[in-house]
Amino acid sequence: MPSIPGDGRAAANAAAVLRTVLTHGPAARSDIPKLCGLSPAAVSRQTTALLRTGLLREHPEPEQQPAERTAARPGPGRPRIPLDLHTGSLSGPLAVGLHIGVPASTFSLVDLRGRVLARRAFPHRGLSPEDRPAAIAAELGRFLRESNTAGRPLLGVGAALGGWVRPADGMVVRHDALGWRDLPLGAELSDRLGLPVCVDNHARAVAHAEILFGRPEARSSLLHLFIGNIVDAAFGIEGTVHQGPGAAAGDVAHLPVPGSPTPCACGRTGCLQASASDGVIGAEGVRRGIVPEPSVSLLVDAAATGDPRADRLLRERARTVGRAAALLLDVFNPAVMVIGELSSILYDGYLDEIREAAGDHGRYGRRIVTPHAGPAVLPVASAAVLLALHFRDPSGSHESARSHPVVLGGSQVPP
């Protein structure tokens, strides 16, 4: 894909046009200037360039657009053909998503609107920390070769995982559960796959996905609390996700939860990680005889089939998460708070429990929500690590992705 020529202002203009089409598309070119605040001439230049890169396309059905769209209705003279993101099933570009969890990795192919077209899980069973990156890259390469989307170019790989991750150089500074320290994950995956790779913490990845594809208020200010095997958080304001010095922001593992008596390895009691993480809750489920192995998914399944013990344990965790959420809401006061916790994503009753414990019903105006993608949150979020860069700067900063396009089904994905 060719790059968009121009200086930093042109790059900002291209991003403004692309985000406008993401929000309002399909949109007529003549309507885009008033939606994004640019001059018609600037919009004309950038739409032409974005069409050339393949990020935009002319909408194939210019007539009879939905009433809420901005495209023109049929009339005399030359019809105005609306523009939309290039998500065509035959040639639209895709982002590869890679979420690296503790028990397994998840691979995905995601289009420019954050829709998952293919996904696959890869269990880490039996893999040592040293062997894991190579095994993940090999299995991801196999997934790409076998995916039924031949002919579509890949923009690259967005990789998301817990712990301390430094996006600037793709370094996993610390991930205790995976046994990784100072691992150049981005470079290793890129070398093995022959694709550009962007790496970030999974809480920030979800924040990127919500800003791009979620509720409009998330673009104003957003707080995301991730509850899984790793517990962390992310904060975004005016469309930008905060990283902090060294990209170390978001470590809330030792946030003290009011009323929690659970001891933590750090020597204190009531730390959020020790009170609410998947590993802790799964192990408690085994101890209480609810499930045969430490798995929150099994607990959710048991609760769904009517086991009151599983339901009680999940509600206990929801209240713990809610009390932690209240502390973060008081500090950040975001327009929306997204909770990434499995039971509340799948069942509204647990989300209501979190809201109740956080005082969200009245005090915060029900600002606590679950991710817009629902159970597909991590496949979408990992791809959003890459897509966020393209929507922020489609002007050519990712030249490696455009100069060396990889086509699914071709020979360029390494065996």
Side-chain angles (χ1 to χ4, degrees):
M1 293 182 182
S3 63
I4 300 172
D7 56 16
R9 183 166 55 185
N13 289 349
V17 170
L18 195 62
R19 283 178 174 267
T20 297
V21 177
L22 170 65
T23 302
H24 300 282
R29 292 187 206 216
S30 58
D31 291 331
I32 294 175
K34 60 178 174 285
L35 291 169
C36 68
L38 297 176
S39 69
V43 167
S44 179
R45 286 193 298 272
Q46 299 308 326
T47 54
T48 299
L50 290 165
L51 285 165
R52 188 174 65 247
T53 66
L55 295 175
L56 290 185
R57 66 167 178 166
E58 293 184 329
H59 199 270
E61 298 179 1
E63 297 185 353
Q64 304 300 322
Q65 297 300 317
E68 65 271 18
R69 299 297 193 187
T70 58
R73 292 173 175 77
R78 183 180 177 183
R80 295 188 295 171
I81 300 176
L83 300 178
D84 203 356
L85 298 180
H86 193 178
T87 56
S89 60
L90 297 179
S91 57
L94 300 174
V96 181
L98 166 61
H99 176 256
I100 303 175
V102 174
S105 289
T106 303
F107 313 138
S108 58
L109 286 168
V110 178
D111 72 12
L112 293 176
R113 286 201 174 275
R115 293 177 293 216
V116 178
L117 305 184
R119 62 188 291 185
R120 181 183 298 173
F122 172 54
H124 295 163
R125 196 176 301 112
L127 292 174
S128 68
E130 296 76 19
D131 293 338
R132 218 172 260 133
I136 290 170
E139 192 64 25
L140 177 54
R142 186 174 299 112
F143 165 72
L144 295 179
R145 293 192 302 275
E146 294 173 355
S147 295
N148 187 26
T149 48
R152 302 185 68 166
L154 300 180
L155 297 173
V157 179
L161 67 162
W164 182 359
V165 181
R166 199 165 59 216
D169 56 2
M171 181 74 69
V172 180
V173 180
R174 184 184 70 242
H175 194 307
D176 294 333
L178 290 177
W180 288 348
R181 291 288 181 105
D182 297 322
L183 174 71
L185 181 66
E188 184 163 346
L189 291 175
S190 184
D191 288 345
R192 292 181 180 276
L193 292 167
L195 288 167
V197 177
C198 302
V199 185
D200 206 346
N201 167 273
H202 58 198
R204 290 196 292 261
V206 174
H208 283 304
E210 292 300 315
I211 289 169
L212 283 176
F213 309 119
R215 299 159 182 82
E217 58 267 33
R219 296 165 199 170
S220 170
S221 60
L222 164 110
L223 180 62
H224 171 233
L225 178 59
F226 185 92
I227 306 292
N229 284 292
I230 302 296
V231 172
D232 43 23
F235 180 65
I237 188 165
E238 297 301 328
T240 299
V241 179
H242 179 64
Q243 293 187 11
D251 189 349
V252 294
H254 298 286
L255 180 74
V257 180
S260 174
T262 308
C264 181
C266 72
R268 294 177 291 180
T269 59
C271 294
L272 182 57
Q273 175 86 25
S275 302
S277 69
D278 280 4
V280 167
I281 299 304
E284 182 63 16
V286 172
R287 191 189 71 79
R288 297 186 188 185
I290 305 170
V291 290
E293 58 185 89
S295 166
V296 169
S297 295
L298 291 179
L299 281 169
V300 172
D301 290 343
T305 57
D307 189 325
R309 301 169 301 164
D311 179 67
R312 186 161 49 249
L313 180 55
L314 292 173
R315 289 185 184 277
E316 289 172 8
R317 170 156 93 159
R319 288 191 290 272
T320 298
V321 171
R323 292 195 296 272
L327 296 175
L328 295 171
L329 282 166
D330 282 340
V331 172
F332 292 98
N333 190 30
V336 62
M337 182 174 194
V338 178
I339 301 289
E341 185 274 333
L342 181 62
S343 66
S344 60
I345 289 173
L346 295 175
Y347 298 102
D348 288 343
Y350 300 114
L351 177 61
D352 289 338
E353 201 80 54
I354 291 172
R355 287 170 168 164
E356 185 69 38
D360 187 49
H361 285 293
R363 182 180 179 191
Y364 294 111
R366 293 180 68 86
R367 286 184 288 170
I368 295 179
V369 299
T370 52
H372 81 283
V377 54
L378 292 175
V380 174
S382 53
V385 173
L386 179 77
L387 290 173
L389 295 178
H390 282 272
F391 277 99
R392 185 167 67 243
D393 181 9
S395 66
S397 295
H398 316 295
E399 186 64 33
S400 58
R402 297 193 177 105
S403 298
H404 305 90
V406 178
V407 178
L408 292 178
S411 61
Q412 291 170 287
V413 176

